[in-house]
Amino acid sequence: MGKVIEKKKSSIKRDKVLKHANKKLPDFPLPIAHLDEEYNGTWNFETAAHLLRRTTFGPKLSEIEKAVVLGKSASINKLLSNTEFIPGPPINVKDDEDTEIPIGQTWVNASKKKNDFIRRASYAGWRIGLILNQPHTGTESLPFSIREKMVLFWQNHFASEADVIGDARYYYWFHNKLRKNYLGNFKNLVKKINIDPAMLVYLSGQFNTKEAPNENYARELFELFTIGKGPLDGVDSYTYYTESDIIEASKILTGWEVIKNFSGPDRQKFTSSRHDTSSKTFSSKFNNKVIHNNGEKEHEDLIDMIFDQERTSEYICEKLYRWFIYYVIDGEVTDKIIKPLAKILRENNFEIKPVLEKLLHSKHFFEIHTRGALIKSPIDYNFGILRQVPLSDYLSLDIKDQYGFWTKRTNDIRNQSQDIINHPSVAGWPAYYQSPLFQELWINSVTLPLRTLNVNQYLSNNGMAAINPGTVYAKPIKLLDEISEPDNIDYIIELFCKWFFPIYSEITPSQKEDFKNIVVGNNPNMWKDEYTDYINDPTPAKEISINKRLKDLIKEMFKTPEYHLS
């Protein structure tokens, strides 16, 4: 009865705020290109912007221009360069009562703290900092990478809730596995997640014993993490597995527990006396496979069996497709894109990088009817703004202020239904699986006004507070140093439209004229005159005036429907 009530409440809410949303999945307006057709069309600012818009967060002007110079292949190689980079861990910046970890030191190897919500906030802020700043190794000045987008993809795929896990240290180590394997081997990653301490806690694997098998993790392993469910095709039978398969899998996964009072990345422990040593027989969905006792390696035998099914490779390719291209997967997409991608995945022993290489090089990725087809998530929208608009040098502020700025931004996205450390459920964010709405779920009568509110805040004259006395200010005037015709407002409008909007050709002359009027009003020479005067005789007052005009322009551009799209 509880589930029925929950479903009814959800329907009422959706009817109220999304009554104009999809009632069925839309169709592609044109036949799509096959995966084997590589994109050999024009490579310019707009195509480079599309590539980086989908694979990073809010590509900067300098990054797009760098990609134009590099060319398509070199830009994709750069995005997918998977040199391991593990940034410095999150630190204690706020908890003066933490006697073990002083301010400025990391807590990831510390003892467990009973109420560690301050550590969780530290971790959330740290993640925002990585998205905004894209730290890297080496001396390269423009390091665009798919890394943070893929870490977020895997985090959503293996979704969990930090508040349920209740220990920020192991939430950090859990995501560290994803970071180390962001372009690596999917099959091996699942084997690591099987026995990850955070997942053992989150889905009750630590309580799974031979005397009392717990099906929680086994069920999600099949349904969400590997092969997918599919509709019912019989009594207790789904398209790709049965209820009996879940029971047998849960027996295989018995024996794992979490070591108490342990510090470090690996606190999982296998206890053979808690493990079911019987032979486990699976259904005809898995060719009646029998898995015999293999102790602490038996869970890997289970994964090998699941990955022998072609559907497993198709399932993860579908999720990658929805993340990077479009949420509609019909028969044509399945035949032309998903199945060929899955074949590449299998042929490469489940390495993810070759799959993304093929997808990003494909003509389909760049087809005009896939551009602007995704609604930006709150992370993409809000942090895209903060990456694209130059800010005052807040990294020179005290570390408390830096974390304060990042932590306040976690509230921005949490209020828009995308908490970076707490997913709504183990299924992840509904925008990536709930048909037929999918990403339309990001926009409703609650979240849209909050997006507008954040734009106004980010570009306000008062700046964004970090922790007193730190304040971060938007400085779009810095963009003029990167623009070849900074005194030409028409050129600036054209450039910004290509940069901020996914389909430049759909921006009408009247829209461009409206943008121009925000800056110059009734005096078409105002911008050129004011900018020239500022260059010839720069004063703080003139700088403030120029900066304000650009902020007013960008603010309105960010509020347009087009900017919400990718």
Side-chain angles (χ1 to χ4, degrees):
M1 179 60 71
K3 291 183 179 178
V4 174
I5 292 173
E6 183 181 1
K7 184 176 181 181
K8 184 176 180 182
K9 286 182 180 177
S10 176
S11 297
I12 290 172
K13 182 178 179 181
R14 187 172 67 203
D15 289 344
K16 181 179 179 181
V17 299
L18 293 170
K19 62 182 179 180
H20 300 297
N22 284 340
K23 301 300 187 294
K24 66 180 186 67
L25 289 175
D27 298 318
F28 278 102
L30 299 167
I32 67 171
H34 192 279
L35 181 69
D36 289 338
E37 295 182 63
E38 185 173 340
Y39 178 72
N40 291 311
T42 302
W43 180 253
N44 56 20
F45 188 95
E46 294 166 64
T47 45
H50 173 67
L51 174 66
L52 297 188
R53 201 178 285 122
R54 289 291 179 89
T55 54
T56 67
F57 298 99
K60 297 181 180 183
L61 182 61
S62 54
E63 292 169 344
I64 297 171
E65 290 176 339
K66 176 71 172 180
V68 172
V69 173
L70 286 174
K72 180 189 65 129
S73 294
S75 295
I76 293 172
N77 289 341
K78 185 174 177 56
L79 280 166
L80 299 180
S81 174
N82 57 340
T83 302
E84 183 176 297
F85 169 65
I86 304 299
I91 61 176
N92 177 20
V93 294
K94 189 175 181 181
D95 193 351
D96 294 317
E97 298 179 3
D98 193 330
T99 57
E100 182 184 358
I101 305 300
I103 299 296
Q105 299 298 311
T106 185
W107 41 261
V108 300
N109 292 305
S111 302
K112 179 175 173 59
K113 203 169 188 298
K114 186 174 182 181
N115 297 311
D116 78 339
F117 62 92
I118 293 180
R119 289 180 178 177
R120 276 173 258 165
S122 165
Y123 175 75
W126 177 78
R127 282 293 302 282
I128 303 305
L130 294 179
I131 290 172
L132 293 180
N133 300 317
Q134 297 280 297
H136 63 293
T137 55
T139 59
E140 189 173 6
S141 60
L142 298 171
F144 55 78
S145 169
I146 203 171
R147 183 183 65 242
E148 294 305 321
K149 202 90 166 199
M150 282 303 295
V151 172
L152 197 67
F153 169 82
W154 289 122
Q155 176 187 331
N156 186 60
H157 181 72
F158 298 109
S160 61
E161 299 163 75
D163 290 350
V164 173
I165 294 168
D167 192 328
R169 300 171 305 163
Y170 296 104
Y171 202 66
Y172 166 80
W173 291 117
F174 171 42
H175 286 175
N176 205 46
K177 286 186 175 71
L178 309 181
R179 185 169 295 280
K180 285 186 173 182
N181 293 276
Y182 72 97
L183 287 176
N185 191 281
F186 176 44
K187 185 177 181 179
N188 291 341
L189 182 57
V190 176
K191 291 178 179 180
K192 294 177 187 291
I193 299 302
N194 275 352
I195 58 173
D196 181 86
M199 192 60 78
L200 288 172
V201 171
Y202 182 57
L203 292 178
S204 307
Q206 62 178 332
F207 305 120
N208 186 17
T209 67
K210 64 182 180 182
E211 292 84 8
N214 187 299
E215 299 173 8
N216 280 6
Y217 180 78
R219 185 173 300 280
E220 310 309 351
L221 176 66
F222 281 103
E223 180 179 345
L224 300 174
F225 300 163
T226 56
I227 200 167
K229 191 175 185 178
L232 280 166
D233 64 357
V235 178
D236 290 334
S237 176
Y238 304 101
T239 309
Y240 305 113
Y241 61 87
T242 69
E243 285 293 321
S244 67
D245 292 326
I246 293 173
I247 293 171
E248 295 301 288
S250 66
K251 295 176 184 177
I252 288 175
L253 294 161
T254 56
W256 290 94
E257 54 186 319
V258 174
I259 305 171
K260 306 298 182 184
N261 302 317
F262 180 89
S263 297
D266 298 307
R267 65 169 178 170
Q268 71 273 14
K269 174 187 176 184
F270 181 77
T271 304
S272 56
S273 61
R274 292 161 53 101
H275 179 62
D276 186 324
T277 59
S278 66
S279 295
K280 293 84 177 176
T281 303
F282 289 83
S283 72
S284 59
K285 307 280 187 183
F286 297 95
N287 302 314
N288 303 115
K289 172 83 172 180
V290 177
I291 294 181
H292 301 289
N293 177 45
N294 194 16
E296 62 182 297
K297 295 293 185 181
E298 194 174 337
H299 76 95
E300 297 185 7
D301 298 335
L302 171 63
I303 299 307
D304 290 339
M305 180 194 75
I306 295 173
F307 274 70
D308 282 341
Q309 306 299 306
E310 287 191 2
R311 173 60 194 161
T312 302
S313 57
E314 293 172 4
Y315 177 73
I316 194 63
C317 287
E318 288 175 351
K319 296 196 77 170
L320 287 166
Y321 183 86
R322 287 198 169 108
W323 191 259
F324 287 108
I325 295 190
Y326 193 35
Y327 58 82
V328 175
I329 298 178
D330 56 16
E332 184 183 20
V333 173
T334 297
D335 291 340
K336 290 184 175 180
I337 307 295
I338 303 301
K339 287 185 179 296
L341 274 180
K343 185 172 182 287
I344 291 171
L345 184 62
R346 294 191 301 272
E347 289 174 346
N348 286 275
N349 194 29
F350 300 99
E351 292 288 330
I352 292 295
K353 184 176 178 178
V355 171
L356 291 178
E357 282 178 328
K358 188 71 172 180
L359 188 62
L360 298 183
H361 276 286
S362 71
K363 180 180 179 181
H364 179 56
F365 180 83
F366 290 96
E367 285 182 302
I368 193 66
H369 45 279
T370 66
R371 300 188 202 181
L374 297 182
I375 295 175
K376 292 177 182 175
S377 70
I379 289 176
D380 243 324
Y381 182 81
N382 290 274
F383 301 155
I385 290 171
L386 294 176
R387 289 201 77 244
Q388 291 179 317
V389 178
L391 304 175
S392 56
D393 186 17
Y394 74 92
L395 294 179
S396 65
L397 297 174
D398 183 87
I399 191 66
K400 279 189 176 183
D401 279 315
Q402 295 178 39
Y403 268 78
F405 176 67
W406 297 332
T407 303
K408 285 180 181 294
R409 305 289 74 78
T410 66
N411 296 329
D412 297 344
I413 57 172
R414 183 185 301 115
N415 295 336
Q416 295 171 33
S417 303
Q418 197 174 29
D419 189 329
I420 199 166
I421 63 171
N422 288 292
H423 289 264
S425 72
V426 68
W429 292 304
Y432 298 103
Y433 68 83
Q434 187 168 308
S435 181
L437 297 176
F438 288 100
Q439 283 116 13
E440 291 192 19
L441 289 164
W442 292 130
I443 302 292
N444 57 49
S445 59
V446 175
T447 60
L448 184 58
L450 288 174
R451 289 189 177 203
T452 300
L453 183 69
N454 286 348
V455 171
N456 291 336
Q457 178 192 3
Y458 297 162
L459 292 159
S460 75
N461 295 328
N462 295 326
M464 296 165 276
I467 297 176
N468 189 47
T471 303
V472 180
Y473 297 93
K475 295 282 190 179
I477 192 172
K478 293 181 179 180
L479 291 171
L480 299 180
D481 295 333
E482 304 177 36
I483 295 174
S484 61
E485 298 182 37
D487 63 342
N488 185 343
I489 190 61
D490 292 305
Y491 178 84
I492 291 172
I493 297 295
E494 291 285 327
L495 179 63
F496 282 8
C497 285
K498 292 177 181 179
W499 181 17
F500 296 145
F501 304 140
I503 308 179
Y504 167 73
S505 61
E506 293 186 356
I507 306 302
T508 65
S510 63
Q511 284 178 290
K512 296 174 189 176
E513 191 65 25
D514 288 340
F515 292 140
K516 180 178 177 180
N517 288 337
I518 293 170
V519 179
V520 303
N522 296 321
N523 181 359
N525 297 318
M526 178 181 288
W527 174 261
K528 186 179 181 68
D529 292 344
E530 188 167 327
Y531 176 78
T532 302
D533 183 45
Y534 165 68
I535 292 298
N536 292 333
D537 181 26
T539 66
K542 293 174 184 177
E543 179 180 327
I544 289 172
S545 178
I546 292 283
N547 201 53
K548 184 179 183 304
R549 291 190 187 281
L550 288 173
K551 285 196 290 186
D552 289 344
L553 168 63
I554 292 172
K555 189 187 301 181
E556 293 308 311
M557 297 182 98
F558 287 165
K559 292 177 184 177
T560 61
E562 290 85 356
Y563 188 77
H564 291 269
L565 303 177
S566 173

